[in-house]
Amino acid sequence: MTTTDMTGHTIVVTGAGSGIGRATARLLASRGAHVVVADIADSAHETVELINGESGEATAVIGDIADEQAAADLIARAAERGDRLGLVNNAGIMDDFSGAAHVDTAQWDRILRVNLTAPMYLTRAALPVMLERGGGAIVNVGSAASLRGGAAGAAYTASKHGLIGLTVNTAYTYARQNIRCNAACPGGVETNIMATADMSAMDPEHGLAAITPIHQSAVRNAKPEELAQVIAFLVSDAASDVNGAVIPVDAGWAAG
């Protein structure tokens, strides 16, 4: 068995109905993992059909992971298989690029719940299973907005900065129990995340227009499959000595 062989692993991938999550689920399944395809949308079933058509194994779970009980139930469903457990916290939603003076309270609350609180719920539920089974791996999908202030609005930026804090604290706290936690931080990616943004509410002076010159400095938009390669590496035994890493996956945007 190679270190990229995921046979005997069950990996939960959130937001796997499309984009980076779908590409990651397909790649992990192709390496032998049973993938729990989690999404709030029915497109999770489409991902499972793709994986089954590629001779992989997957299960679809539809639900809102920002709900505490739904998150706990998702991990319990994955744990039923008795495999080594992995978790990819990929699901996320975008804001409307508003600064703090203009951010809507309801939008702030929803973005923080989906992008930060939900990964905490899932991590909290997964850790006891991982501890019982001798270890595990968690990958949090951050963003260029995890590393800089000009890639999104206040809500999204705060949520993705917070996700890095959750990542490194989890890595440090559970390192001696053979649990790893890392983050991949994409730049521009060809996904539908902008469909989650209410651009009609954008303030033209303090929203996207204010950060567009910085935003357009991104080198290029990546394919979801490129991000999937990095995520699959981090959740596999090939990354056995990688823990607490925050890796820009942005073609060099963060280097500028």
Side-chain angles (χ1 to χ4, degrees):
M1 182 182 295
T2 67
T3 53
T4 56
D5 186 342
M6 302 297 289
T7 303
H9 293 246
T10 291
I11 313 294
V12 176
V13 183
T14 67
S18 62
I20 296 170
R22 173 175 285 181
T24 300
R26 293 176 71 182
L27 180 57
L28 290 170
S30 75
R31 295 180 177 179
H34 183 96
V35 182
V36 178
V37 176
D39 207 290
I40 199 170
D42 289 339
S43 55
H45 294 294
E46 298 173 9
T47 301
V48 169
E49 290 176 5
L50 286 169
I51 290 172
N52 290 341
E54 296 161 350
S55 301
E57 295 185 0
T59 302
V61 176
I62 310 299
D64 184 358
I65 55 171
D67 176 80
E68 184 174 2
Q69 189 59 54
D73 290 345
L74 171 59
I75 297 300
R77 176 85 176 271
E80 289 175 355
R81 291 181 54 85
D83 292 340
R84 192 175 180 90
L85 183 65
L87 171 62
V88 177
N89 285 312
N90 166 73
I93 56 175
M94 179 58 74
D95 62 13
D96 63 2
F97 293 83
S98 290
H102 299 271
V103 66
D104 176 75
T105 300
Q107 182 187 83
W108 173 273
D109 290 344
R110 179 61 181 165
I111 288 172
L112 267 289
R113 285 190 68 81
V114 173
N115 293 2
L116 180 56
T117 303
M120 183 278 290
Y121 286 156
L122 291 164
T123 298
R124 185 175 65 188
L127 282 168
V129 179
M130 293 178 177
L131 290 167
E132 179 185 343
R133 297 179 185 178
I138 301 167
V139 181
N140 293 323
V141 179
S143 166
S146 297
L147 307 171
R148 55 177 68 237
Y156 185 83
T157 301
S159 71
K160 290 298 186 177
H161 271 67
L163 190 61
I164 299 307
L166 178 64
T167 299
V168 295
N169 179 265
T170 302
Y172 181 81
T173 302
Y174 298 97
R176 290 175 177 81
Q177 284 77 46
N178 197 32
I179 293 172
R180 299 182 298 105
C181 187
N182 295 290
C185 295
V189 185
E190 295 178 7
T191 71
N192 63 354
I193 190 170
M194 289 305 297
T196 66
D198 180 11
M199 305 311 286
S200 65
M202 184 195 303
D203 173 66
E205 181 179 356
H206 301 95
L208 181 62
I211 67 171
T212 291
I214 299 175
H215 191 67
Q216 289 181 341
S217 68
V219 177
R220 66 178 177 86
N221 285 339
K223 301 288 187 182
E225 291 75 15
E226 295 178 272
L227 274 298
Q229 291 286 342
V230 178
I231 295 166
F233 163 72
L234 290 172
V235 81
S236 76
D237 291 340
S240 59
D241 199 40
V242 182
N243 192 24
V246 179
I247 302 176
V249 192
D250 61 4
W253 185 14

mmCIF file of all heavy atoms in Angstrom, residues 67 73 77 128 147 168 178 180 230:
data_model
loop_
_atom_site.group_PDB
_atom_site.id
_atom_site.type_symbol
_atom_site.label_atom_id
_atom_site.label_comp_id
_atom_site.label_asym_id
_atom_site.label_seq_id
_atom_site.Cartn_x
_atom_site.Cartn_y
_atom_site.Cartn_z
ATOM 1 N N ASP A 67 -25.969 23.795 11.222
ATOM 2 C CA ASP A 67 -26.819 23.316 12.314
ATOM 3 C C ASP A 67 -26.027 22.315 13.135
ATOM 4 O O ASP A 67 -25.494 21.330 12.595
ATOM 5 C CB ASP A 67 -28.083 22.667 11.744
ATOM 6 C CG ASP A 67 -28.956 22.072 12.834
ATOM 7 O OD1 ASP A 67 -29.689 22.830 13.476
ATOM 8 O OD2 ASP A 67 -28.871 20.843 13.046
ATOM 9 N N ASP A 73 -24.618 14.606 13.288
ATOM 10 C CA ASP A 73 -25.191 13.446 12.606
ATOM 11 C C ASP A 73 -24.354 13.049 11.400
ATOM 12 O O ASP A 73 -24.213 11.849 11.094
ATOM 13 C CB ASP A 73 -26.628 13.747 12.162
ATOM 14 C CG ASP A 73 -27.598 13.855 13.336
ATOM 15 O OD1 ASP A 73 -27.247 13.431 14.459
ATOM 16 O OD2 ASP A 73 -28.719 14.376 13.122
ATOM 17 N N ARG A 77 -22.702 9.406 10.955
ATOM 18 C CA ARG A 77 -22.973 8.585 9.760
ATOM 19 C C ARG A 77 -21.661 8.077 9.167
ATOM 20 O O ARG A 77 -21.546 6.897 8.807
ATOM 21 C CB ARG A 77 -23.737 9.441 8.754
ATOM 22 C CG ARG A 77 -24.014 8.777 7.411
ATOM 23 C CD ARG A 77 -25.261 7.925 7.435
ATOM 24 N NE ARG A 77 -25.549 7.382 6.118
ATOM 25 C CZ ARG A 77 -26.299 8.000 5.205
ATOM 26 N NH1 ARG A 77 -26.851 9.186 5.488
ATOM 27 N NH2 ARG A 77 -26.532 7.437 4.037
ATOM 28 N N PRO A 128 -13.287 12.870 18.735
ATOM 29 C CA PRO A 128 -13.386 11.667 19.570
ATOM 30 C C PRO A 128 -13.274 10.374 18.766
ATOM 31 O O PRO A 128 -12.697 9.387 19.238
ATOM 32 C CB PRO A 128 -14.770 11.808 20.220
ATOM 33 C CG PRO A 128 -15.049 13.270 20.200
ATOM 34 C CD PRO A 128 -14.442 13.772 18.929
ATOM 35 N N LEU A 147 -5.350 35.101 4.480
ATOM 36 C CA LEU A 147 -3.979 35.582 4.568
ATOM 37 C C LEU A 147 -3.834 37.068 4.297
ATOM 38 O O LEU A 147 -2.768 37.636 4.540
ATOM 39 C CB LEU A 147 -3.109 34.813 3.551
ATOM 40 C CG LEU A 147 -3.188 33.286 3.639
ATOM 41 C CD1 LEU A 147 -2.471 32.654 2.464
ATOM 42 C CD2 LEU A 147 -2.615 32.795 4.952
ATOM 43 N N VAL A 168 -4.650 25.806 13.341
ATOM 44 C CA VAL A 168 -3.368 25.683 14.040
ATOM 45 C C VAL A 168 -3.559 25.271 15.498
ATOM 46 O O VAL A 168 -2.728 24.543 16.063
ATOM 47 C CB VAL A 168 -2.528 26.978 13.923
ATOM 48 C CG1 VAL A 168 -2.149 27.213 12.458
ATOM 49 C CG2 VAL A 168 -3.250 28.185 14.487
ATOM 50 N N ASN A 178 -1.654 11.816 17.273
ATOM 51 C CA ASN A 178 -1.593 11.384 15.872
ATOM 52 C C ASN A 178 -2.733 11.954 15.034
ATOM 53 O O ASN A 178 -3.209 11.313 14.091
ATOM 54 C CB ASN A 178 -1.566 9.858 15.763
ATOM 55 C CG ASN A 178 -1.103 9.366 14.398
ATOM 56 O OD1 ASN A 178 -0.272 10.014 13.747
ATOM 57 N ND2 ASN A 178 -1.636 8.247 13.959
ATOM 58 N N ARG A 180 -3.689 15.190 12.678
ATOM 59 C CA ARG A 180 -3.120 16.321 11.950
ATOM 60 C C ARG A 180 -4.234 17.244 11.468
ATOM 61 O O ARG A 180 -5.331 16.782 11.130
ATOM 62 C CB ARG A 180 -2.317 15.840 10.743
ATOM 63 C CG ARG A 180 -1.139 14.956 11.110
ATOM 64 C CD ARG A 180 -0.339 14.533 9.888
ATOM 65 N NE ARG A 180 -1.119 13.748 8.949
ATOM 66 C CZ ARG A 180 -1.604 14.182 7.805
ATOM 67 N NH1 ARG A 180 -1.411 15.438 7.424
ATOM 68 N NH2 ARG A 180 -2.307 13.395 7.014
ATOM 69 N N VAL A 230 -3.874 19.060 -3.790
ATOM 70 C CA VAL A 230 -3.245 19.503 -2.549
ATOM 71 C C VAL A 230 -4.033 19.005 -1.340
ATOM 72 O O VAL A 230 -3.458 18.513 -0.357
ATOM 73 C CB VAL A 230 -3.123 21.040 -2.518
ATOM 74 C CG1 VAL A 230 -2.515 21.513 -1.200
ATOM 75 C CG2 VAL A 230 -2.287 21.528 -3.698
#
